[in-house]
Amino acid sequence: MVFGDPVAVALGNASLLGVGYCMLRRWTLAVLTDLVSVVLLVLLATAWRAVWFEVLVALWWVALVAHGWHLARRRAVPVAARRQRLVAAYLAVPVLLAVTALRVDGYLIDSALADAKRAGDCGQAGQAVDRVWFGLRFADAPLTVRTETTHRVCARLHTAAGQLGTSLATGDTRQLAAGFAGLQAVLAGYPGHEPMVRAVLTEFLGVLPKADACPAAAVTDWLRARHPDHTVLDTAAAAATRHAPPALLGCGDALVDQKSWPKALARYHQLLDQFPDSELVTKARKGIRTATLGQQLSTVRSRLSVDTGELPKYCSNPAKYEAATPYRKSHNRSLLYGNSEYVNKLPDSWSVSDAADAALVVCVGDTKLGSRVQTCPYTRLDGSGSPVWVTFYKVAIPIRAYELRTGKLVVHRTIQIGGSSCPQILSYTTYGGYDTGPDTAQYVTPSRSGVRAAFRSALHP
């Protein structure tokens, strides 16, 4: 019986295929060896891709080689050693070369991955990950774990970057919080990937000053209020403090353009309160003035909104518009409301259509009986009965005028308008054929000039 050469047997077992045991005719041992090797390699490629298990597989390989050498030397018998060694080498060398080549490739991939992590470049890391294939699961299982870890990290960072970008575009601080939570999770759960987190954060902060002002202001508010966690993320607070003043000013200006006066004032005041030493304070104060006047004018207009002929809410609840023309003891352009019968007889040059152009808001009350002018007798239409004595009175109209600039009442009087009285014929209405005669109290008939003169005495003294 011929047995194997020790060198050939050891070399055959180095293939992990139990070739050496086959040379020794140890068939059962060869089959068991193959089963164990397969199980170890499957576990290495799937469940236990760790360095310690890789060392265990290496020890198994060394044990097979040493055991094959030991068995062959115990039963050494002259054999054709050269031929056996060639056969063993034919089977083992390709396996060893393949493992070596894969290990070298794994080393190069690992180096590229490490460079990408140091540079914080997920694109470069992705190229390294794409070079990993199934064979490396057997030849360098820990490497596949590292590449998969970095792949997951980059996926999370991509999601976080998208959330941060959305927050800059919309001012949605919920997206901002979610993005920072993603970055924090990477820092806490994936050591060695801080440069990648820093790269995402740096890109986000670089876009911050270029974003629309109001979303940027919301973002800087959140960043400045964020609780420090002693990580690279804390640098965002300092950047937010630098960029907050222009964001607040720009947001206030944008809200002024949208006529959102209260929100604009809030942003301007925030700039003054939180950054009193900023060079933008002067512009913020100008913005406050503009927004204040805008809000005042908006309030005035809303209180003046009314149907024709009626008195607006302004007449009972006046408001000021500080940019209005001051009230003068001369001609004042006015907004006229109420008693359209007489207001419509006033010159067009006296009134304006918008509060922005007015000096006065004039509230004209209902007509009342004024001073007694003359009493005259009139005969009923049917000629029956004694004469009806009719007294004619001046037209009395109460007027209140508010200076729009201050909202203060500057005119509060009742004007009286004279006119013709005791006409030859006095028209009146009978009811059901029963003649009651005319009303005994009648207004004089004022002329247009008389109406204007009376109103002028009150509004343009």
Side-chain angles (χ1 to χ4, degrees):
M1 182 177 293
V2 178
F3 295 98
D5 172 67
V7 175
V9 171
L11 192 58
N13 275 4
S15 68
L16 284 179
L17 301 175
V19 174
Y21 293 137
C22 291
M23 292 179 177
L24 297 174
R25 308 297 192 269
R26 304 291 291 270
W27 309 111
T28 301
L29 194 56
V31 171
L32 290 174
T33 297
D34 289 345
L35 289 175
V36 173
S37 296
V38 169
V39 170
L40 290 175
L41 290 175
V42 169
L43 291 175
L44 178 63
T46 56
W48 293 331
R49 292 179 292 162
V51 174
W52 69 267
F53 199 76
E54 195 174 45
V55 171
L56 180 62
V57 173
L59 291 175
W60 170 252
W61 178 81
V62 171
L64 289 181
V65 172
H67 189 242
W69 174 275
H70 176 69
L71 288 180
R73 286 183 60 83
R74 281 178 51 194
R75 307 181 65 180
V77 174
V79 295
R82 180 182 178 84
R83 182 178 178 182
Q84 282 194 349
R85 291 177 182 178
L86 288 174
V87 171
Y90 180 77
L91 295 172
V93 170
V95 173
L96 296 174
L97 289 176
V99 171
T100 301
L102 286 172
R103 294 290 297 189
V104 171
D105 188 37
Y107 172 78
L108 296 176
I109 293 174
D110 201 21
S111 296
L113 186 66
D115 291 341
K117 288 162 64 176
R118 283 192 295 271
D121 189 343
C122 272
Q124 182 181 344
Q127 294 175 1
V129 171
D130 290 341
R131 290 166 56 187
V132 176
W133 64 292
F134 183 73
L136 286 173
R137 285 182 171 269
F138 299 102
D140 195 345
L143 168 65
T144 64
V145 174
R146 292 193 293 274
T147 57
E148 290 174 5
T149 297
T150 299
H151 179 72
R152 286 195 299 271
V153 165
C154 286
R156 297 194 69 165
L157 292 179
H158 178 74
T159 299
Q163 292 167 329
L164 297 177
T166 299
S167 72
L168 278 181
T170 64
D172 187 346
T173 55
R174 291 174 299 178
Q175 289 289 312
L176 180 60
F180 266 75
L183 298 182
Q184 287 173 324
V186 170
L187 290 174
Y190 301 93
H193 291 85
E194 180 179 315
M196 290 183 163
V197 173
R198 187 186 299 275
V200 172
L201 182 64
T202 299
E203 182 178 1
F204 164 68
L205 295 177
V207 177
L208 178 57
K210 306 172 187 175
D212 290 342
C214 285
V219 167
T220 56
D221 284 348
W222 188 92
L223 292 176
R224 294 175 61 235
R226 175 181 171 272
H227 191 275
D229 58 5
H230 307 293
T231 67
V232 65
L233 301 181
D234 291 348
T235 59
T241 300
R242 290 195 307 273
H243 300 312
L248 292 171
L249 179 65
C251 183
D253 293 344
L255 291 169
V256 164
D257 292 340
Q258 298 169 17
K259 302 186 186 306
S260 296
W261 313 116
K263 292 181 179 179
L265 285 169
R267 285 307 192 188
Y268 288 134
H269 282 296
Q270 183 183 353
L271 173 54
L272 293 182
D273 295 341
Q274 297 179 358
F275 304 96
D277 297 327
S278 172
E279 60 184 10
L280 301 178
V281 163
T282 300
K283 292 183 178 180
R285 289 198 176 98
K286 291 181 179 178
I288 288 174
R289 179 62 178 169
T290 300
T292 298
L293 292 177
Q295 187 173 35
Q296 289 176 352
L297 184 58
S298 177
T299 300
V300 168
R301 284 171 173 165
S302 67
R303 295 182 186 179
L304 289 174
S305 178
V306 69
D307 294 332
T308 303
E310 298 181 1
L311 291 179
K313 293 180 180 178
Y314 189 98
C315 292
S316 58
N317 187 17
K320 65 181 179 180
Y321 172 50
E322 294 173 346
T325 302
Y327 171 67
R328 296 171 295 185
K329 296 291 184 178
S330 60
H331 180 72
N332 295 284
R333 294 169 65 83
S334 307
L335 290 165
L336 300 166
Y337 295 94
N339 207 328
S340 57
E341 178 183 358
Y342 291 97
V343 167
N344 290 342
K345 295 178 181 180
L346 300 178
D348 292 340
S349 61
W350 288 21
S351 64
V352 293
S353 59
D354 185 61
D357 305 318
L360 288 179
V361 176
V362 181
C363 304
V364 182
D366 295 332
T367 303
K368 299 179 180 180
L369 295 175
S371 301
R372 180 177 177 277
V373 176
Q374 185 178 6
T375 301
C376 304
Y378 285 90
T379 304
R380 291 182 176 87
L381 293 175
D382 59 5
S384 64
S386 59
V388 178
W389 290 89
V390 177
T391 300
F392 289 84
Y393 298 85
K394 289 183 178 181
V395 175
I397 301 177
I399 294 178
R400 285 174 293 157
Y402 298 90
E403 183 187 27
L404 188 56
R405 185 182 182 88
T406 61
K408 293 181 178 180
L409 183 65
V410 293
V411 176
H412 188 197
R413 58 177 290 190
T414 298
I415 61 173
Q416 295 200 49
I417 307 173
S420 61
S421 60
C422 293
Q424 184 176 0
I425 298 175
L426 187 63
S427 299
Y428 65 95
T429 303
T430 61
Y431 300 93
Y434 180 71
D435 191 348
T436 60
D439 290 338
T440 58
Q442 300 278 342
Y443 291 110
V444 299
T445 302
S447 64
R448 182 178 291 271
S449 61
V451 171
R452 293 181 178 183
F455 273 90
R456 183 182 294 108
S457 67
L459 304 179
H460 310 301

